[in-house]
Amino acid sequence: MSDKDGKDRPGEGQPSDAAAAPTPLVVPASPMFERPSRRDMLKRVGLAAGVLTGSAVLGRAVWDRGGFGVAAGQGARQVRDYRLREVAPEHAELAIAKGKAGEAVSADALVRRAVDAMGGIKRFVSRGDVVVIKPNIGWDRMPIHAANTNPDVVGAVIQLAIEAGAKRVVVADGSCNDPNRCFQRSGIWRKAYALGAEVVLPAAHRFRTTRMRGEVLDEWPIFTTLVDADKVINVPVAKHHNLAKFTAAMKNWYGVLGGRRNRLHQNIDTSIADLATFMRPTLVVVDAMRVLMRNGPQGGNIDDTKVMNQVFATVDQVAADAYGATLIGQHRDNLPYLKMGHERGLGTMYWEQLRVREV
Amino acid sequence: MAASPSHSGAARGSSAPAHAGIALDLGAIERGHAHDHAPVEPIPWKTGDVGVVAPLDVDTSFVPTIPATYGLKVPPAPGPVAGPPPAKKTGCGSLCGCGSVAGSAKAPAPAKKTGCGSSCGCGSAAASAKAPAPAKDAAAMRRAASSRIAELASILGIGTPRERAGASPDAGAPAKGEPPKGASGGKKPPKKLPGSGIPARRSIRILVWVRRAAQLGFFSLFMFFLFQTGFRGNFAASADTPVRLPYPVEAFLLADPFVTAMTFGATHQVYRGLLWSVGLLAVTLVFGRVFCGWICPFGTLHHFFGWLLPSRKGRGASRVEANKTHGYQRAKYYLMYAFLLASLAGSAIGGLFDPICVAVRAIGLGVIPGVQYMAGRALGAAQDIPARPVQHAADGAQDVLATTVWQSHQFYFHQTWLIVALLVAILFLNRFIPRFWCRVLCPLGAFLGVFARFALFGMEKDHAKCTDCNLCLVNCQGADSPQGGVKWRQDECHMCLNCESACPEDVIKFRLLPNRKSRIGVPDLQRRTLLATAAAGAAFIPAARIADSLDVNYHAKVIRPPGAVEERAFLERCIRCAECMKVCPNNALHPAMFESGVEGLWTPILIARIGYCEHSCVLCGQVCPTGAIQKITEKEKLGQGIPPVKIGTAFYDLGRCLPWSMGTPCIVCEEFCPTSPKAIWVEEVEAPMRDSKPGPDGTEPAMLTVKLQRPHVDPSLCIGCGACEKVCPVQDQPAVYITSVGESRSKTNVILLENTNYNQG
């Protein structure tokens, strides 16, 4: 650079030579040792200063001061509340549709009876709604094993939502076993597809970390498909659970969570209550067509199941579980998560006090 | 003939216009001229004073006086003379298609600029058409030659862009001398054909394109099968439909006769679908190694990289040199025989080098998950951009990719870096030796090469016509000596037909039942090397088993997939193709490093911490091409009426287990245990536990009592699926883990007396 300058503009080398003259320095004659021009020096210094300033500004902008608590986010407790605001006194609060003993009854008819007793599907789903239906598709089991929601019950709910004019009906769950296998072998995929509903499998990219601010569930990855909706219908299956003793509506929200949810079992009751606080569905339709009485939640043995031919609908998740527990001979006092839900005001564990209608 | 070094140097410079696209090493050509073929007249093109080279046998009245810089100096004789030149462009094809009309077609020669070289079907007829073509045709011939070489260069990708561009000024120069043509010829430089410019037979030119289409098609099919090697569910299937893959994703392996030969050598049987490989053998016996040149997806990959990598540099002379037959190509035969002997000794270890296995393993376990990881990061970042359309697009892209290319969650593979590094290395070697893998290492290619000597289809060469232009060598894939003066190596040839397509002199002819005057069908193996390598292959297996990994000190973590046969039989069959690992829906199966000894490299092992064996899944057996994992049914695996398939047994580390040692409820393991009745059962206890907080006034913390369910394993029910280990919340080192003991395939690796029955089976 400098030698080039020197060759190009030999005249400009003079001042620097002159400046150096008073000192007894040996000024080399060779143009190779000529001093750079002032303009050139200013440019260089300016460039160096610019780079320094730039890196300093960038460093300051992304400075992490360290220490605990800095990274902790803010934000209030998140609640996904899809419930209806109005209460109609003429409608049931817990509608239980039972097939008569020995009568061949279709799941479709039972679901319709239960929902009609609740005021009809039009009360819950409006024209143009995006309706998300959350069955239990947790396990690689067939319908006969009663570990997942009966596909006919899911199908009946889909049908109702479509009849009410829903814009889109989405069926989704976060499975425990391989989701492809669970969705196919539960029979729900086929049923939902035949009825024209969208089926969304829990792909990794569908989960977003969300701040729930629960007692034990603070930040967790949430299955966004299940919460991006106008109306959410919880369609669990009532069954035995070895740790929680009974599972239906409230624990069904485990399917909302991603991540390592196996840790929740250390405080299963509180995490169930946290999830039920986070997710407030529009409607709960519990499948008790065939109930897993033992070896829950996964089952696998048909001998462990019992045909009950029942479907019950409510908007109160706590009452749904409290009633459902009676089906497998459990009592609400043995289920701590019901008590927590009751105390948190999510619903009532004394389901008898609701307007119960048996249809 | 008496070419001096300085001579060839001059030739390189002066003949540049016609051959700039390939920059031949004329020195090499001179050296190669010591071949034993019939003496030919001095080839002017080689001695530097070249204008036109006509086919020697037809027309020796070439015009040696046209200087090399003819491009500028030659009077453009025929061009202006011709009546309506541009109009002939379409007419040419019909005119020059037949020999008799060709004579009259000579007059409007400039019309040939595009039409003739590419569209007319002259073939051999062109030779007779050219016979009366005198020197006045020279300009047209040159243009045809240049168009030909430019076309070749662009199609085959030889020559750097600069060199291709460098060819065009020369070619464009004559256009300047021809005012009427200048305007039209400006945008597209006239093409030249090298040498005599005899185009290849139309059938060959078509077949070359058919071959490219076949390569693309088979590679796409291979990738499609690889993408389909995984269960994605089926919305149309009813609940009780058995879960199977809809496509025969292992088809390429079933068609692989080397796999068949190895497993036959080890087991003396041909397992199920491997009988298909006889079909490929039949194809080889008719057409030679067409598998290598037309079908093999790994070969196509190397073909592509051999085109991509050296095309920037190392082409021309060094490429011609690299594409000559070399002694190192024998290595693949030695490898092949070593692997066959190793299979006779009881191990299908040759699968480590089988090209289809390498392709499935490296692409399926390395490239696809790697691309998925990067795409997931990129699309995940796009999802965070606060703009609805971007988020939707990223979401949609992830959905499409998850349902077509990979799975809905990221897959990881144990120590797969080595597999990928080796893939990158062998792909990179194409830079120095095109198709290095195919020529030097591929045991399947060697195996097919053994049979190619019987092929009915092959090459004839007329050495006398060869001008040593080396265009055949530039384009050769197999390094099988297609050039004149040496014998064709049938066992090395990939039958890509590039040589005949490129040959401008009518030297090379592929045909059914050719004469065999100029071919070598048998590789010139050195007997001592062959014996030594084959013996090494046979000796390797017992040597590897002396190391304590099989008969004694069997590794607890070598957990084979369900349906795997007994370990020795397993090693006889497993070709490490990684199909089972790719298909496993839970990412449970992984390539072993040295867990099962050096012999077991990249055989499948189950790592339950990454994924467990899905209870009702039998897909690994479905895709296993060799029966190392048997095609069991769900009924057999679950043990309905018969004992279930056990792959190991679960054990508790009580010191780490929450209910056992920390007074905390858990039993996720019990919840996930898939057997019925569950192999994990819980014991209800009331256990003492110390309060975490100190008592009032700093007294000792109070003692509490907690109700706990403590898990136990029933070893007679446990199938070792590893679901408990996978879901154990003790993250780093699980409190429950499986080991291989108790696997139902082994009679020695057992715990319980009831399973220790030497009379079984």
Side-chain angles (χ1 to χ4, degrees), chain B residues 202 292 420:
Chain B
R202 164 178 268 177
C292 303
V420 178

Side-chain angles (χ1 to χ4, degrees), chain A residues 143-227:
Chain A
I144 193 93
H145 295 123
N148 302 318
T149 310
N150 190 317
D152 295 334
V153 173
V154 181
V157 176
I158 294 170
Q159 189 66 44
L160 285 175
I162 291 172
E163 283 168 15
K167 186 169 69 180
R168 285 168 61 209
V169 180
V170 181
V171 178
D173 188 17
S175 306
C176 299
N177 290 138
D178 171 26
N180 296 297
R181 198 170 281 271
C182 296
F183 274 65
Q184 175 174 326
R185 299 231 308 152
S186 66
I188 292 174
W189 200 345
R190 187 190 198 196
K191 190 83 185 179
Y193 185 80
L195 291 169
E198 283 174 49
V199 177
V200 179
L201 271 69
H205 69 273
R206 298 214 167 272
F207 288 81
R208 297 261 198 299
T209 303
T210 306
R211 203 163 176 84
M212 300 164 72
R213 300 212 132 209
E215 206 171 305
V216 292
L217 298 178
D218 189 9
E219 270 195 349
W220 277 81
I222 295 293
F223 192 0
T224 50
T225 307
L226 287 172
V227 297

